[in-house]
Amino acid sequence: MTMDKYIKPFNQKLPQTAEDVPNKNSLNSYLPIRTKGNDFDSDAVIGLVLRGLLRKKIEGYKYEDFVSDCQSAFEEKLGEEEFWEVLREMYFDNKDIFSVSPELLLFRAQKGEFAASDSRVASMFTNLLQNMRVEEFDAKLNFIEREMLSTLRGKMKSDSSMQASEHPYLPYLSIAFRDDLKFLASRPKYLLSEIESFLSFYGFAYTAQLSLSLTDWRSGKEPTAKPLYFIMDHERASNERTHIKNHGYKLFNESATRLFPMLTMLELLQPSMGDKSVSKVPLWAISKSIQESRYEHLKSDLENFARAFKAQRGLDTSLDESESALDWLGNIMKLAMAQFSIGERFNINKKYVSEVEKYLAAHFIQSRGRSGRVLVLNQDYIILLTNLVVGEKDKLRFHELIAAFKQRGIFVDKQTEQELIKFYERIGNVERMSDSGDAVYVRKTI
């Protein structure tokens, strides 16, 4: 997927005086976490993501009304009240109906059923989806369940409110996310059982890879997956394992300190600047557009903005004098980080990193005593990822599986590779053609 179609020559109007520079840092794109108010309801997020995927919504239709409509439909067709009582107990009393089809989860995406934080988290996934669409889920349903779903579909309305508002910062991860969701969508029952874990994984993988990619903007090229090392949650994390020690949790935690400073600065550089009809663009795309721009005042505009920002924030950061517009973008990003290195803003950024870890990374961080914190994958996540990666194929060579894990932001060292093979052998989804690693094949568990 090429990004050239939205990279236009850089000619946005930047603040040129200290008075014009906003005195507050505002974050409205590329990450849903704010400095506070980040509690979100997974069910509401799932409902909103599916609403965007299906382009359908249910509004002003209570669950009780749905139950009543189903009762009317069945009594009309079956004419036996006693049979309805059996159905009510089976499907409705404990809301087991929600396990029939993902479309039922639209109940959780009605106005008044979700908070602003739910909407922000859902928009992260909607932007990864880049307006991918599924018409409906082809669940293998019995006659009774088909009738219930038909009753619900009669109340659905078309909806295009959950549209992507950002061009993907990490196109490679957006592609993997869409491929994996397509696979899940073709297996609705599996999707229902795994979608919470699926979104939890991608929420963290996206956040971690974004934090690692933010400084990689100068070339103007799309980012590629950056090494970030995980272990299985039962493994020991000795200090001799240098990748785990230096390129695992420690690297993620350090990189996460860039998220708030650099993304709030990115807001000020956006060509949209308040125009909601224009999609947000990544920093690397802005770099590319600067390189391709013939706008003659570009270098001086960026320089004036850098000096204005420095004055407004009262920073004593030294700026690198240059005739290059790209170097002045470098100065601007240097100032973005510098403002958070002192005083109250330092504490704000520290709090932001802890909010990111609490709400998007908690399932993937473990404390290991003297070894400190490490990034982990439990067995449930490994099985889910394995099934997604093998996808529609019967089986995959182990080294191809590991390469596909990397495309999803998961890197493992040789020791963890051996642990993975042992794990696959224990659950019986591995074929060993010889003792060589090349001849190890992994199958799906579904």
Side-chain angles (χ1 to χ4, degrees):
M1 178 170 61
T2 177
M3 298 291 112
D4 289 347
K5 63 180 184 287
Y6 71 80
I7 295 174
K8 300 180 175 69
F10 186 93
N11 63 356
Q12 47 258 53
K13 188 166 171 49
L14 296 169
Q16 299 290 288
T17 67
E19 293 73 36
D20 293 334
V21 174
N23 61 3
K24 283 189 177 172
N25 294 292
S26 171
L27 178 54
N28 296 307
S29 54
Y30 287 113
L31 211 57
I33 299 299
R34 304 295 179 258
T35 48
K36 59 184 178 183
N38 293 307
D39 279 306
F40 63 88
D41 177 349
S42 296
D43 287 341
V45 170
I46 291 165
L48 288 164
V49 171
L50 292 176
R51 179 173 156 177
L53 191 64
L54 289 160
R55 306 276 203 289
K56 288 173 187 164
K57 67 177 177 179
I58 300 166
E59 282 301 349
Y61 188 48
K62 292 191 172 72
Y63 179 72
E64 295 72 23
D65 298 332
F66 172 57
V67 176
S68 176
D69 288 345
C70 285
Q71 180 176 4
S72 301
F74 281 112
E75 286 179 349
E76 193 178 305
K77 291 194 173 174
L78 301 171
E80 293 180 33
E81 269 187 53
E82 297 82 6
F83 188 61
W84 166 249
E85 290 308 315
V86 173
L87 292 183
R88 179 194 285 278
E89 195 176 317
M90 276 177 66
Y91 287 101
F92 297 100
D93 286 354
N94 296 314
K95 298 192 174 178
D96 292 327
I97 184 70
F98 283 107
S99 65
V100 165
S101 167
E103 290 169 64
L104 271 298
L105 300 178
L106 291 177
F107 270 111
R108 290 157 180 174
Q110 295 189 75
K111 215 174 278 181
E113 294 288 314
F114 59 90
S117 54
D118 303 323
S119 185
R120 288 201 310 267
V121 174
S123 72
M124 171 174 67
F125 299 114
T126 301
N127 284 308
L128 276 172
L129 281 173
Q130 287 295 295
N131 299 327
M132 172 182 143
R133 185 174 187 182
V134 168
E135 289 294 332
E136 58 185 39
F137 295 98
D138 183 24
K140 304 282 185 286
L141 305 179
N142 59 40
F143 155 72
I144 291 165
E145 291 165 347
R146 283 200 302 274
E147 192 63 39
M148 292 169 180
L149 190 54
S150 174
T151 301
L152 180 76
R153 284 176 177 167
K155 297 291 182 179
M156 288 182 188
K157 297 172 184 167
S158 293
D159 177 52
S160 58
S161 61
M162 301 289 295
Q163 295 278 344
S165 59
E166 303 162 1
H167 294 291
Y169 207 108
L170 306 171
Y172 69 90
L173 201 69
S174 174
I175 290 167
F177 180 71
R178 279 176 279 149
D179 287 346
D180 290 348
L181 192 52
K182 264 181 217 159
F183 175 77
L184 284 179
S186 69
R187 291 159 175 77
K189 296 285 186 188
Y190 190 54
L191 181 146
L192 278 166
S193 68
E194 297 295 337
I195 190 159
E196 187 171 348
S197 296
F198 174 74
L199 294 180
S200 164
F201 167 73
Y202 266 104
F204 175 63
Y206 169 73
T207 304
Q209 287 294 318
L210 176 64
S211 71
L212 294 170
S213 296
L214 278 174
T215 53
D216 188 15
W217 55 264
R218 188 171 276 268
S219 69
K221 291 179 180 170
E222 294 179 12
T224 54
K226 304 288 187 289
L228 188 67
Y229 280 79
F230 293 71
I231 59 173
M232 292 183 72
D233 64 352
H234 68 268
E235 283 185 81
R236 294 184 61 179
S238 61
N239 285 331
E240 293 76 49
R241 298 176 72 176
T242 52
H243 280 313
I244 306 305
K245 187 179 175 188
N246 299 325
H247 307 114
Y249 171 77
K250 181 185 174 195
L251 178 62
F252 165 64
N253 179 257
E254 288 168 357
S255 301
T257 60
R258 301 179 196 131
L259 289 167
F260 193 64
M262 293 186 72
L263 290 177
T264 52
M265 182 60 86
L266 181 57
E267 291 287 346
L268 296 177
L269 297 169
Q270 287 297 337
S272 53
M273 279 305 285
D275 182 353
K276 289 190 175 175
S277 67
V278 180
S279 293
K280 301 285 180 78
V281 295
L283 184 57
W284 57 265
I286 286 176
S287 168
K288 185 175 173 69
S289 69
I290 286 172
Q291 292 174 55
E292 294 180 356
S293 177
R294 291 180 178 77
Y295 182 49
E296 58 189 50
H297 301 297
L298 182 54
K299 176 257 169 185
S300 59
D301 279 5
L302 288 164
E303 178 181 352
N304 291 341
F305 172 57
R307 297 193 190 283
F309 188 90
K310 178 181 173 178
Q312 204 286 326
R313 294 293 195 269
L315 300 169
D316 59 7
T317 310
S318 63
L319 302 177
D320 301 320
E321 299 300 329
S322 173
E323 290 304 308
S324 156
L326 212 55
D327 287 345
W328 280 102
L329 181 59
N331 278 323
I332 288 165
M333 300 322 292
K334 189 203 262 191
L335 291 166
M337 293 301 299
Q339 66 168 323
F340 285 96
S341 64
I342 49 169
E344 185 51 31
R345 284 201 180 94
F346 175 80
N347 294 325
I348 288 170
N349 195 30
K350 207 172 164 187
K351 171 82 164 45
Y352 187 82
V353 172
S354 75
E355 292 285 291
V356 166
E357 290 196 7
K358 180 179 176 182
Y359 291 101
L360 295 177
H363 294 305
F364 305 93
I365 298 171
Q366 267 186 13
S367 197
R368 292 296 183 83
R370 281 189 305 177
S371 298
R373 291 181 162 191
V374 291
L375 296 180
V376 299
L377 286 173
N378 67 30
Q379 294 181 4
D380 292 339
Y381 280 111
I382 288 167
I383 290 171
L384 171 61
L385 276 171
T386 303
N387 288 336
L388 294 171
V389 164
V390 177
E392 300 298 346
K393 300 182 186 74
D394 292 329
K395 57 190 176 185
L396 208 59
R397 283 178 187 266
F398 181 71
H399 69 83
E400 292 173 320
L401 185 88
I402 294 299
F405 276 15
K406 289 177 181 176
Q407 281 303 104
R408 288 156 178 79
I410 302 293
F411 287 70
V412 294
D413 66 6
K414 292 295 178 192
Q415 201 167 318
T416 296
E417 283 188 17
Q418 292 308 308
E419 287 298 320
L420 279 169
I421 290 173
K422 284 184 204 165
F423 169 66
Y424 291 138
E425 285 177 332
R426 273 202 312 278
I427 64 173
N429 68 328
V430 75
E431 253 177 64
R432 208 186 259 276
M433 301 302 188
S434 76
D435 289 337
S436 148
D438 282 348
V440 173
Y441 288 83
V442 181
R443 292 189 299 270
K444 297 191 287 283
T445 64
I446 53 169

